[in-house]
Amino acid sequence: MVYETPPSDLVISENMRSMQGWPELGCALWQLVVLVSFSQTEEPTCVQIGDPEIAQLSQDGDIVLEDMYTQKPLALQFNLKSSLNFREFQFAQTMLFAIEEINNSTDLLPGVSLGYNIYDTCGSIPKTIKVALALNNENGNTSSNSDTPLKVEHTFVCLQFISFHFATCACLSDKTKYPSFLRTIPSDYYQSRALAQLVKHFGWTWVGAVRTNDDYGNNGMATFTETAEQLGVCLEYSVSFFRTDPIEKIQKVIETIQASTSKVIVAFVSHLDMDVLIHEMSNYNLTGYQWVGSESWISDSQIAFILDVRPLRSLNNDLYKEFWETLFSCKFKQEKSDENYRECTGQEDLTGVENSFTDMSLMPIFNNVYKGVYAVAHALHEILGCDETCNKNVQLDPLTVSMYNILQHIQKIHFKTKEGEEVFFNENGDPAAKYEVINWQPRENGIVDFITVGVYDASLPFDEQLKLHNRSILWSQGSKQVPVSVCSEKCPPGTRKVLQKGKPVCCHDCIGCAEGEMSNITDAVTCVRCPPESWSNERRDACVKKEAVFLSYNEIMGILLTTAALFGTCVTAIVTIIFYRNRTTPLVRANNSELSFLLLFSLTLCFLCSLTFIGQPSKWSCMLRHTAFGITFVLCLSCVLGKTMVVLMAFKATLPGSSMMKWFGATQQRLSVLGFTIVQVIICILWLSISPPFPSKNFEEFKEKIILECALGSALGFWSVLGYIGLLAVLCFIFAFLARKLPDNFNEAKFITFSMLIFCAVWITFIPAYVSSPGNFSVAVEIFAILASTFGLLICIFIPKCYIMLLKPEKNTKKHMMGKGPPKTF
């Protein structure tokens, strides 16, 4: 290609590719290329080779904006007679509308008119490149006439012919590779993140993904997948296709959708690819799916026409109304009707014209073209130093209108459209990322309203970026209920999630929490163990305070044991009364009445000390129950041991020359009882001083209950007390056994022997029963042992005597007592 230096021409050429990321083939790298030349007298040094390109649409002006029109064909071949793309033609009309507005404006470029040249590339990549380069050659045919309009080319120049991108590609924000690329449509990076947040907002954690197999679909879906994973959304499948793929591959995509379990499909697809997919899907019975689409096809009227519905978007602002009036040569009804215009409503009956040219559903997208033209105009306004008028005498030399210079001006622009929308570019050449969330809502008459149900603003904090009006959304098949699309249902409180082996993290099983654990949230990953004083309820969704249990006076076991203790106390009191009334009789006096009364007193204390084991444990009750039990039982056994020794010594003293009784008289008996008891008192004092019993909470015995009990403190102290009691019991048994065959009609030793047998049997069995009994049952075992052994002593030692005193008084005589009894066999 050879360039001829044109005389005093500055040409702006703009390629009219879709700014909304429509996936037409072609170079989406928008470059501001400024070809500057001056009037010169020398001969041209360059001549154009090849045929010149003729603009399809043009208008002269002081400054001409040349726009190259691009489109993607459905196939590599195209037919100029039948492949007119009305949507791309609408983009051209939008540019014309904006230029006309600017030319009629007194504030922007006053006195300067803009023209345009628009070329048709017919959707062919070679044709696109040829036209783009031809724009640079166009000046070779121009004359040096001073009246020739200034031309600034704003063109599609592909610096990398091998790599073709879409205008929304996130890669174009890389200023190291594309320093001169600017756009009025946000990067797909933000759209992909918006779609991921939209999916997460409705609780769809199991979705399918379909994408165009090109930069637009692959890059957009890659960002969506990354963001979705961060938000806990899983893809059941992710398939790609291109509209020129074999039909078998497209059918395989549809079969993948058909075999899936997800009910939501995210489609990052161009509108042309979506056309092909929907045409093929019409051969399958696929219903009940919720589609979430990118802007490339979701607001495309062609898709709606394929589905046999007519899209309709209300004209809700002045810009849209003005564009409608310009496009269809009509005026909206006003107070004073203008006879030169026919009246329009914005909802003209276009039933007979079913194409995207008559559809205003893409008005928000046209707005990006509108803003692009105004951005160039504002840059020229600054370059020409326009105020009330523009300085046409500005010398347009290479330093004034170079590519770098005009780029600097465009990058710095910051203005508002008449609708109040701010237009500016960030350091990456991107505008503020704002999107409308559109919901297709069919009417009864076959019209589908494109209803805006929310907005996404990437400039806000993450939690505030997406705002939706959920109540106004209509879901698939006319439902107002948000569809559910999950791999596994949410785990209710009381359960936890367990991932299914070999499947994504969104697929899980719900396992109930174990005893003592709970989860009070949905989809809990782990169950939380309840505090020691709490336990999980039956549903495992809360921790409830454990029931504190102890042997109380209100429960049956407590009542029975209390009754037994009181009954034993009463019986002992009755026996004491009987003995007191018969204290002068030989039977009472022969068995050491003083020790008998002391023994009855100690038995009463033994019955009563068992009551200290019943009731809620406290600091004082814990110390009292074990020490009282130990001391009273030692006192009791000391008395029994004294009585046994008295019997044994009494008969030994009858032998000739024996002086045993003087060594074991009344004083010695009292001292022996006192001495034996003091030893136990000392043991108890040491126990209480070193490590006394204390109230504690037992969490181990019963999982759902707290056992309030008395901890022993020092186990050595407790077993020392029991061991000393056991020692005295053994001594009592030995002495009683030795005296069992002594001659006497009423030998008390044999009754003491039986009582000690019972006593030892009870306490021997008590040890394993006490150790193995859980919770408050161990307390009941201890009380039972106290009562059983006490009743054994009371019954064996005193009841036979009471029987004689009350029923056989004739035997209560000294003669009878001193009489020889039958031979002893025991």
Side-chain angles (χ1 to χ4, degrees), residues 305-323:
F305 286 131
I306 292 174
L307 298 176
D308 196 24
V309 295
R310 290 185 295 133
L312 178 65
R313 179 187 287 273
S314 60
L315 305 179
N316 53 6
N317 61 48
D318 294 336
L319 174 61
Y320 294 175
K321 292 179 180 178
E322 291 179 18
F323 185 58

PDB file of all heavy atoms in Angstrom, residues 305-323:
ATOM      1  N   PHE A 305     -37.439 -13.152  18.108  1.00  0.00           N
ATOM      2  CA  PHE A 305     -38.204 -13.500  16.905  1.00  0.00           C
ATOM      3  C   PHE A 305     -38.103 -14.998  16.601  1.00  0.00           C
ATOM      4  O   PHE A 305     -39.050 -15.624  16.157  1.00  0.00           O
ATOM      5  CB  PHE A 305     -37.699 -12.681  15.718  1.00  0.00           C
ATOM      6  CG  PHE A 305     -38.129 -11.245  15.763  1.00  0.00           C
ATOM      7  CD1 PHE A 305     -37.208 -10.231  15.581  1.00  0.00           C
ATOM      8  CD2 PHE A 305     -39.446 -10.895  16.000  1.00  0.00           C
ATOM      9  CE1 PHE A 305     -37.591  -8.912  15.623  1.00  0.00           C
ATOM     10  CE2 PHE A 305     -39.843  -9.574  16.044  1.00  0.00           C
ATOM     11  CZ  PHE A 305     -38.912  -8.567  15.854  1.00  0.00           C
ATOM     12  N   ILE A 306     -36.931 -15.564  16.871  1.00  0.00           N
ATOM     13  CA  ILE A 306     -36.767 -17.003  16.649  1.00  0.00           C
ATOM     14  C   ILE A 306     -37.717 -17.789  17.548  1.00  0.00           C
ATOM     15  O   ILE A 306     -38.282 -18.806  17.171  1.00  0.00           O
ATOM     16  CB  ILE A 306     -35.306 -17.408  16.907  1.00  0.00           C
ATOM     17  CG1 ILE A 306     -34.398 -16.811  15.823  1.00  0.00           C
ATOM     18  CG2 ILE A 306     -35.154 -18.918  16.944  1.00  0.00           C
ATOM     19  CD1 ILE A 306     -32.931 -17.029  16.083  1.00  0.00           C
ATOM     20  N   LEU A 307     -37.911 -17.286  18.764  1.00  0.00           N
ATOM     21  CA  LEU A 307     -38.788 -17.951  19.727  1.00  0.00           C
ATOM     22  C   LEU A 307     -40.257 -17.591  19.509  1.00  0.00           C
ATOM     23  O   LEU A 307     -41.098 -17.857  20.343  1.00  0.00           O
ATOM     24  CB  LEU A 307     -38.370 -17.579  21.149  1.00  0.00           C
ATOM     25  CG  LEU A 307     -36.956 -18.013  21.539  1.00  0.00           C
ATOM     26  CD1 LEU A 307     -36.632 -17.507  22.937  1.00  0.00           C
ATOM     27  CD2 LEU A 307     -36.820 -19.521  21.474  1.00  0.00           C
ATOM     28  N   ASP A 308     -40.542 -16.920  18.381  1.00  0.00           N
ATOM     29  CA  ASP A 308     -41.922 -16.602  18.002  1.00  0.00           C
ATOM     30  C   ASP A 308     -42.569 -15.635  18.994  1.00  0.00           C
ATOM     31  O   ASP A 308     -43.735 -15.780  19.354  1.00  0.00           O
ATOM     32  CB  ASP A 308     -42.761 -17.876  17.879  1.00  0.00           C
ATOM     33  CG  ASP A 308     -44.063 -17.607  17.123  1.00  0.00           C
ATOM     34  OD1 ASP A 308     -44.084 -16.633  16.340  1.00  0.00           O
ATOM     35  OD2 ASP A 308     -45.029 -18.343  17.348  1.00  0.00           O
ATOM     36  N   VAL A 309     -41.781 -14.668  19.478  1.00  0.00           N
ATOM     37  CA  VAL A 309     -42.334 -13.602  20.303  1.00  0.00           C
ATOM     38  C   VAL A 309     -41.785 -12.281  19.785  1.00  0.00           C
ATOM     39  O   VAL A 309     -40.782 -12.236  19.071  1.00  0.00           O
ATOM     40  CB  VAL A 309     -41.945 -13.780  21.796  1.00  0.00           C
ATOM     41  CG1 VAL A 309     -42.562 -15.026  22.358  1.00  0.00           C
ATOM     42  CG2 VAL A 309     -40.430 -13.829  21.960  1.00  0.00           C
ATOM     43  N   ARG A 310     -42.469 -11.196  20.113  1.00  0.00           N
ATOM     44  CA  ARG A 310     -42.035  -9.883  19.660  1.00  0.00           C
ATOM     45  C   ARG A 310     -41.572  -9.072  20.862  1.00  0.00           C
ATOM     46  O   ARG A 310     -42.334  -8.839  21.796  1.00  0.00           O
ATOM     47  CB  ARG A 310     -43.184  -9.158  18.958  1.00  0.00           C
ATOM     48  CG  ARG A 310     -43.537  -9.763  17.619  1.00  0.00           C
ATOM     49  CD  ARG A 310     -44.599  -8.952  16.915  1.00  0.00           C
ATOM     50  NE  ARG A 310     -45.861  -8.992  17.656  1.00  0.00           N
ATOM     51  CZ  ARG A 310     -46.600  -7.930  17.931  1.00  0.00           C
ATOM     52  NH1 ARG A 310     -46.188  -6.730  17.585  1.00  0.00           N
ATOM     53  NH2 ARG A 310     -47.732  -8.045  18.566  1.00  0.00           N
ATOM     54  N   PRO A 311     -40.297  -8.657  20.866  1.00  0.00           N
ATOM     55  CA  PRO A 311     -39.790  -7.895  22.003  1.00  0.00           C
ATOM     56  C   PRO A 311     -40.302  -6.469  21.999  1.00  0.00           C
ATOM     57  O   PRO A 311     -40.622  -5.907  20.959  1.00  0.00           O
ATOM     58  CB  PRO A 311     -38.271  -7.938  21.793  1.00  0.00           C
ATOM     59  CG  PRO A 311     -38.103  -8.031  20.312  1.00  0.00           C
ATOM     60  CD  PRO A 311     -39.270  -8.849  19.827  1.00  0.00           C
ATOM     61  N   LEU A 312     -40.396  -5.904  23.147  1.00  0.00           N
ATOM     62  CA  LEU A 312     -40.857  -4.516  23.279  1.00  0.00           C
ATOM     63  C   LEU A 312     -40.162  -3.884  24.468  1.00  0.00           C
ATOM     64  O   LEU A 312     -40.143  -4.444  25.555  1.00  0.00           O
ATOM     65  CB  LEU A 312     -42.379  -4.481  23.513  1.00  0.00           C
ATOM     66  CG  LEU A 312     -42.987  -3.081  23.707  1.00  0.00           C
ATOM     67  CD1 LEU A 312     -42.853  -2.267  22.438  1.00  0.00           C
ATOM     68  CD2 LEU A 312     -44.449  -3.200  24.119  1.00  0.00           C
ATOM     69  N   ARG A 313     -39.551  -2.755  24.229  1.00  0.00           N
ATOM     70  CA  ARG A 313     -38.954  -1.983  25.325  1.00  0.00           C
ATOM     71  C   ARG A 313     -39.607  -0.604  25.322  1.00  0.00           C
ATOM     72  O   ARG A 313     -39.701   0.059  24.294  1.00  0.00           O
ATOM     73  CB  ARG A 313     -37.437  -1.840  25.146  1.00  0.00           C
ATOM     74  CG  ARG A 313     -36.786  -1.016  26.250  1.00  0.00           C
ATOM     75  CD  ARG A 313     -35.332  -0.760  25.954  1.00  0.00           C
ATOM     76  NE  ARG A 313     -34.536  -1.946  26.128  1.00  0.00           N
ATOM     77  CZ  ARG A 313     -34.014  -2.302  27.290  1.00  0.00           C
ATOM     78  NH1 ARG A 313     -34.213  -1.566  28.372  1.00  0.00           N
ATOM     79  NH2 ARG A 313     -33.289  -3.381  27.381  1.00  0.00           N
ATOM     80  N   SER A 314     -40.044  -0.178  26.480  1.00  0.00           N
ATOM     81  CA  SER A 314     -40.700   1.120  26.579  1.00  0.00           C
ATOM     82  C   SER A 314     -39.675   2.231  26.393  1.00  0.00           C
ATOM     83  O   SER A 314     -38.520   2.113  26.798  1.00  0.00           O
ATOM     84  CB  SER A 314     -41.366   1.269  27.951  1.00  0.00           C
ATOM     85  OG  SER A 314     -40.399   1.162  28.968  1.00  0.00           O
ATOM     86  N   LEU A 315     -40.090   3.320  25.770  1.00  0.00           N
ATOM     87  CA  LEU A 315     -39.212   4.469  25.560  1.00  0.00           C
ATOM     88  C   LEU A 315     -39.346   5.377  26.772  1.00  0.00           C
ATOM     89  O   LEU A 315     -40.245   6.194  26.856  1.00  0.00           O
ATOM     90  CB  LEU A 315     -39.607   5.194  24.275  1.00  0.00           C
ATOM     91  CG  LEU A 315     -39.624   4.307  23.018  1.00  0.00           C
ATOM     92  CD1 LEU A 315     -40.051   5.122  21.811  1.00  0.00           C
ATOM     93  CD2 LEU A 315     -38.286   3.671  22.782  1.00  0.00           C
ATOM     94  N   ASN A 316     -38.437   5.213  27.727  1.00  0.00           N
ATOM     95  CA  ASN A 316     -38.628   5.866  29.019  1.00  0.00           C
ATOM     96  C   ASN A 316     -37.748   7.078  29.242  1.00  0.00           C
ATOM     97  O   ASN A 316     -37.614   7.534  30.352  1.00  0.00           O
ATOM     98  CB  ASN A 316     -38.382   4.850  30.140  1.00  0.00           C
ATOM     99  CG  ASN A 316     -37.030   4.173  29.991  1.00  0.00           C
ATOM    100  OD1 ASN A 316     -36.240   4.546  29.125  1.00  0.00           O
ATOM    101  ND2 ASN A 316     -36.795   3.187  30.831  1.00  0.00           N
ATOM    102  N   ASN A 317     -37.089   7.576  28.183  1.00  0.00           N
ATOM    103  CA  ASN A 317     -36.393   8.840  28.363  1.00  0.00           C
ATOM    104  C   ASN A 317     -36.382   9.626  27.052  1.00  0.00           C
ATOM    105  O   ASN A 317     -36.710   9.111  25.978  1.00  0.00           O
ATOM    106  CB  ASN A 317     -34.972   8.638  28.898  1.00  0.00           C
ATOM    107  CG  ASN A 317     -34.111   7.823  27.963  1.00  0.00           C
ATOM    108  OD1 ASN A 317     -34.073   8.078  26.762  1.00  0.00           O
ATOM    109  ND2 ASN A 317     -33.406   6.835  28.509  1.00  0.00           N
ATOM    110  N   ASP A 318     -35.980  10.867  27.148  1.00  0.00           N
ATOM    111  CA  ASP A 318     -36.070  11.771  25.997  1.00  0.00           C
ATOM    112  C   ASP A 318     -35.154  11.353  24.855  1.00  0.00           C
ATOM    113  O   ASP A 318     -35.495  11.502  23.684  1.00  0.00           O
ATOM    114  CB  ASP A 318     -35.730  13.199  26.441  1.00  0.00           C
ATOM    115  CG  ASP A 318     -36.771  13.752  27.410  1.00  0.00           C
ATOM    116  OD1 ASP A 318     -37.919  13.249  27.363  1.00  0.00           O
ATOM    117  OD2 ASP A 318     -36.442  14.649  28.196  1.00  0.00           O
ATOM    118  N   LEU A 319     -33.965  10.838  25.186  1.00  0.00           N
ATOM    119  CA  LEU A 319     -33.040  10.444  24.129  1.00  0.00           C
ATOM    120  C   LEU A 319     -33.648   9.363  23.262  1.00  0.00           C
ATOM    121  O   LEU A 319     -33.577   9.416  22.031  1.00  0.00           O
ATOM    122  CB  LEU A 319     -31.721   9.956  24.746  1.00  0.00           C
ATOM    123  CG  LEU A 319     -30.699   9.385  23.760  1.00  0.00           C
ATOM    124  CD1 LEU A 319     -30.281  10.449  22.747  1.00  0.00           C
ATOM    125  CD2 LEU A 319     -29.484   8.817  24.482  1.00  0.00           C
ATOM    126  N   TYR A 320     -34.262   8.369  23.892  1.00  0.00           N
ATOM    127  CA  TYR A 320     -34.866   7.283  23.133  1.00  0.00           C
ATOM    128  C   TYR A 320     -36.012   7.808  22.261  1.00  0.00           C
ATOM    129  O   TYR A 320     -36.179   7.379  21.124  1.00  0.00           O
ATOM    130  CB  TYR A 320     -35.395   6.206  24.075  1.00  0.00           C
ATOM    131  CG  TYR A 320     -34.337   5.469  24.851  1.00  0.00           C
ATOM    132  CD1 TYR A 320     -34.673   4.541  25.829  1.00  0.00           C
ATOM    133  CD2 TYR A 320     -32.990   5.704  24.607  1.00  0.00           C
ATOM    134  CE1 TYR A 320     -33.696   3.856  26.542  1.00  0.00           C
ATOM    135  CE2 TYR A 320     -32.011   5.023  25.314  1.00  0.00           C
ATOM    136  CZ  TYR A 320     -32.362   4.109  26.281  1.00  0.00           C
ATOM    137  OH  TYR A 320     -31.399   3.435  26.981  1.00  0.00           O
ATOM    138  N   LYS A 321     -36.794   8.724  22.803  1.00  0.00           N
ATOM    139  CA  LYS A 321     -37.914   9.282  22.035  1.00  0.00           C
ATOM    140  C   LYS A 321     -37.418  10.055  20.826  1.00  0.00           C
ATOM    141  O   LYS A 321     -37.953   9.945  19.723  1.00  0.00           O
ATOM    142  CB  LYS A 321     -38.758  10.167  22.939  1.00  0.00           C
ATOM    143  CG  LYS A 321     -39.517   9.396  24.022  1.00  0.00           C
ATOM    144  CD  LYS A 321     -40.326  10.337  24.901  1.00  0.00           C
ATOM    145  CE  LYS A 321     -41.070   9.546  25.980  1.00  0.00           C
ATOM    146  NZ  LYS A 321     -41.837  10.425  26.881  1.00  0.00           N
ATOM    147  N   GLU A 322     -36.354  10.842  21.043  1.00  0.00           N
ATOM    148  CA  GLU A 322     -35.815  11.616  19.917  1.00  0.00           C
ATOM    149  C   GLU A 322     -35.256  10.687  18.843  1.00  0.00           C
ATOM    150  O   GLU A 322     -35.424  10.938  17.642  1.00  0.00           O
ATOM    151  CB  GLU A 322     -34.715  12.553  20.415  1.00  0.00           C
ATOM    152  CG  GLU A 322     -35.229  13.685  21.288  1.00  0.00           C
ATOM    153  CD  GLU A 322     -34.102  14.571  21.788  1.00  0.00           C
ATOM    154  OE1 GLU A 322     -33.004  14.507  21.201  1.00  0.00           O
ATOM    155  OE2 GLU A 322     -34.308  15.314  22.759  1.00  0.00           O
ATOM    156  N   PHE A 323     -34.588   9.648  19.258  1.00  0.00           N
ATOM    157  CA  PHE A 323     -34.042   8.711  18.288  1.00  0.00           C
ATOM    158  C   PHE A 323     -35.163   8.019  17.527  1.00  0.00           C
ATOM    159  O   PHE A 323     -35.082   7.807  16.314  1.00  0.00           O
ATOM    160  CB  PHE A 323     -33.161   7.689  19.012  1.00  0.00           C
ATOM    161  CG  PHE A 323     -32.456   6.739  18.083  1.00  0.00           C
ATOM    162  CD1 PHE A 323     -31.606   7.217  17.095  1.00  0.00           C
ATOM    163  CD2 PHE A 323     -32.648   5.369  18.185  1.00  0.00           C
ATOM    164  CE1 PHE A 323     -30.953   6.343  16.231  1.00  0.00           C
ATOM    165  CE2 PHE A 323     -32.006   4.491  17.329  1.00  0.00           C
ATOM    166  CZ  PHE A 323     -31.154   4.970  16.349  1.00  0.00           C
TER     167      PHE A 323
END
